[in-house]
């Protein structure tokens, strides 16, 4: 089998699973070679009571990239990016992606445009125009949540038709594949489910373009998980690699991995917390290593419907 190499530019944490800690192990388990650049090195994610650590500057990122380039090993099949807090860092990432796409025109850029959630931005506002004008146009696969998709397009999502329109607007900005990882749309199974949607534009042999749109109802667990967005993007990279023109299957596999990992995590967290107690952020860290078999071969437990 041909080797597939991913460059992943994301956070590192000493304890727990966000950013590269959420992406590298599962991608390696699935056979990808992963080169990782740690955009920050923190003790733990920022949802804990305390966190400490270092931030990689744009210049330091460039130095690492220069080293890779000098050795002529800057040949990648995929680039994966997530959380960034700084415009000059993000602009340097953009420059690197442009060069890597020149080195390999077939390179696929998987972008999680991390801006915020539930109506609040948790990165500085000046990142939004950089994402809109420079990052999203380079992305091949985009994984915003509802709020991020709304910020990027300037449209509000209230209905399924709105969501479809927003995904088409995001296609117009660049990416051929868009997945809204979580929305507030009402599931037909009730409020114990969250709704995710996806859209893929496929070029047919005769040159015409069709789009496949999918809807998923995902069983909701009453807890706040961190690092799930990062794991979702990594698994979508892996499963779209195996099913490049079948978003339905890629999303079913991705959402099924999420389900297995989250079920194992909440069972463990509840046991650690004890009866009637809410688990702490430390107890809710994803059970990643323990989920190795599910990551390698996920039983399909979440189904997607074609829209
Ligand atoms: P983002 O950080 O981009 O908003 P989330 O972490 O909310 O993304 O969601 C990414 C995926 O993680 C969802 O599509 C779902 O599969 C899973 N997920 C996250 N939180 C939950 C939850 N509380 N219950 C069930 N699944 C969840
Ligand atoms: N990176 C760091 C350092 C974080 O603290 C967080 C969340 O707190 C994340 C990334 C993103 O996590 P998620 O995948 O849940 O969006
Ligand atoms: Zn996210």
């Amino acid at each position: 089998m041909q080797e597939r190499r991913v460059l992943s530019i994301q956070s590192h944490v000493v304890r727990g699973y966000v950013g590269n800690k959420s992406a590298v192990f599962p991608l390696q388990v699935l056979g990808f070679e992963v080169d990782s650049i740690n955009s920050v090195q923190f003790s733990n994610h920022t949802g804990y009571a305390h966190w400490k650590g270092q931030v990689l500057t744009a210049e330091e990122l460039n130095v690492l990239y220069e080293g890779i380039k000098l050795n002529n090993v800057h040949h990648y099949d995929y680039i994966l990016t997530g959380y960034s807090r700084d415009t000059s860092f993000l602009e340097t990432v953009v420059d690197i992606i442009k060069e890597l796409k020149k080195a390999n025109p077939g390179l696929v850029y998987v972008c999680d445009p991390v801006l915020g959630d539930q109506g609040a931005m948790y990165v500085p506002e000046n990142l939004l125009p950089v994402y809109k004008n420079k990052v999203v146009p380079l992305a091949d696969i985009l994984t915003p949540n509802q709020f991020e998709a709304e910020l990027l397009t300037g449209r509000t999502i209230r209905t399924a038709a709105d969501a479809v329109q927003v995904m088409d607007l995001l296609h117009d900005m660049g990416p051929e594949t868009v997945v809204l990882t979580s929305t507030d749309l009402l599931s037909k199974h009730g409020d114990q489910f969250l709704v995710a949607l996806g859209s893929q534009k496929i070029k047919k042999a005769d040159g015409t373009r069709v789009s496949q749109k999918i809807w998923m109802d995902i069983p909701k667990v009453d807890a706040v998980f961190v690092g799930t967005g990062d794991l979702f993007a990594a698994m979508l990279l892996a499963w779209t690699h195996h099913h490049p023109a079948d978003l339905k299957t890629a999303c079913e596999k991705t959402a099924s991995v999420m389900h297995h990992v989250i079920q194992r995590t909440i069972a463990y967290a509840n046991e650690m917390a004890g009866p009637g107690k809410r688990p702490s952020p430390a107890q809710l860290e994803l059970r990643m290593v323990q989920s190795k078999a599910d990551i390698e071969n996920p039983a399909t437990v979440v189904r997607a419907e074609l829209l």
Side-chain angles (χ1 to χ4, degrees):
M1 203 174 80
Q2 206 187 347
E3 188 170 286
R4 293 293 161 187
R5 193 171 286 270
V6 183
L7 177 62
S8 178
I9 307 178
Q10 302 199 65
S11 314
H12 171 78
V13 283
V14 176
R15 161 59 71 99
Y17 296 93
V18 299
N20 273 336
K21 285 284 291 286
S22 261
V24 177
F25 170 76
L27 283 170
Q28 286 175 331
V29 156
L30 290 171
F32 290 84
E33 277 291 349
V34 188
D35 293 2
S36 45
I37 294 180
N38 297 329
S39 52
V40 307
Q41 170 165 246
F42 286 170
S43 52
N44 45 261
H45 72 66
T46 54
Y48 284 68
H50 308 276
W51 50 275
K52 289 182 175 294
Q54 298 84 37
V55 177
L56 193 75
T57 65
E59 292 71 32
E60 288 163 339
L61 169 62
N62 225 348
V63 167
L64 293 175
Y65 176 64
E66 284 300 317
I68 294 291
K69 208 166 58 172
L70 283 169
N71 290 307
N72 195 26
V73 288
H74 60 305
H75 297 274
Y76 291 100
D77 304 294
Y78 289 93
I79 178 158
L80 174 62
T81 68
Y83 185 77
S84 171
R85 290 196 55 82
D86 179 78
T87 52
S88 66
F89 189 89
L90 197 55
E91 307 243 18
T92 304
V93 170
V94 165
D95 293 339
I96 292 173
I97 296 167
K98 283 185 180 157
E99 279 202 20
L100 293 179
K101 284 203 168 195
K102 255 187 219 147
N104 175 14
L107 179 139
V108 172
Y109 172 30
V110 181
C111 172
D112 186 6
V114 180
L115 292 163
D117 206 356
Q118 301 295 323
M121 282 186 77
Y122 43 62
V123 301
E125 275 182 28
N126 60 4
L127 259 74
L128 178 57
V130 184
Y131 272 108
K132 258 193 198 168
N133 302 324
K134 297 183 178 170
V135 180
V136 174
L138 286 175
D140 299 287
I141 301 177
L142 193 73
T143 61
N145 58 34
Q146 173 169 339
F147 179 61
E148 289 158 349
E150 290 176 337
L151 283 175
L152 291 170
T153 58
R155 300 289 175 92
T156 306
I157 298 173
R158 290 198 189 84
T159 65
D162 294 339
V164 164
Q165 200 178 33
V166 162
M167 291 192 291
D168 282 334
L169 286 170
L170 290 169
H171 283 314
D172 292 342
M173 293 167 74
E176 294 217 331
T177 302
V178 174
V179 177
L180 305 183
T181 55
S182 59
T183 70
D184 297 329
L185 294 176
L186 199 61
S187 164
K188 58 183 164 304
H189 303 300
D191 60 7
Q192 295 307 298
F193 287 76
L194 66 85
V195 173
L197 291 115
S199 177
Q200 185 168 52
K201 280 172 92 174
I202 300 159
K203 203 174 180 179
K204 291 205 296 190
D206 63 4
T208 58
R209 285 177 172 274
V210 289
S211 91
Q212 188 191 59
K213 290 200 162 58
I214 61 114
W215 170 293
M216 286 190 293
D217 299 288
I218 297 173
K220 210 189 285 183
V221 173
D222 180 25
V224 177
F225 300 97
V226 182
T228 41
D230 305 325
L231 178 61
F232 190 100
M235 292 302 89
L236 190 65
L237 183 162
W239 291 112
T240 54
H241 173 73
H242 291 294
H243 306 280
D246 181 2
L247 186 63
K248 180 177 182 291
T249 302
C251 281
E252 285 177 343
K253 298 241 186 185
T254 298
S256 295
V257 173
M258 299 308 301
H259 181 81
H260 295 303
V261 173
I262 282 173
Q263 288 302 323
R264 184 170 286 109
T265 301
I266 195 67
Y268 174 83
N270 283 334
E271 192 188 319
M272 293 299 285
K277 296 232 179 76
R278 282 192 88 79
S280 66
Q283 291 166 336
L284 281 166
E285 287 287 1
L286 297 179
R287 299 295 278 166
M288 194 70 83
V289 173
Q290 298 76 6
S291 301
K292 178 173 168 280
D294 289 320
I295 294 166
E296 281 178 296
N297 196 5
T300 303
V301 289
V302 179
R303 293 278 172 194
E305 295 166 44
L306 290 172
L307 281 181

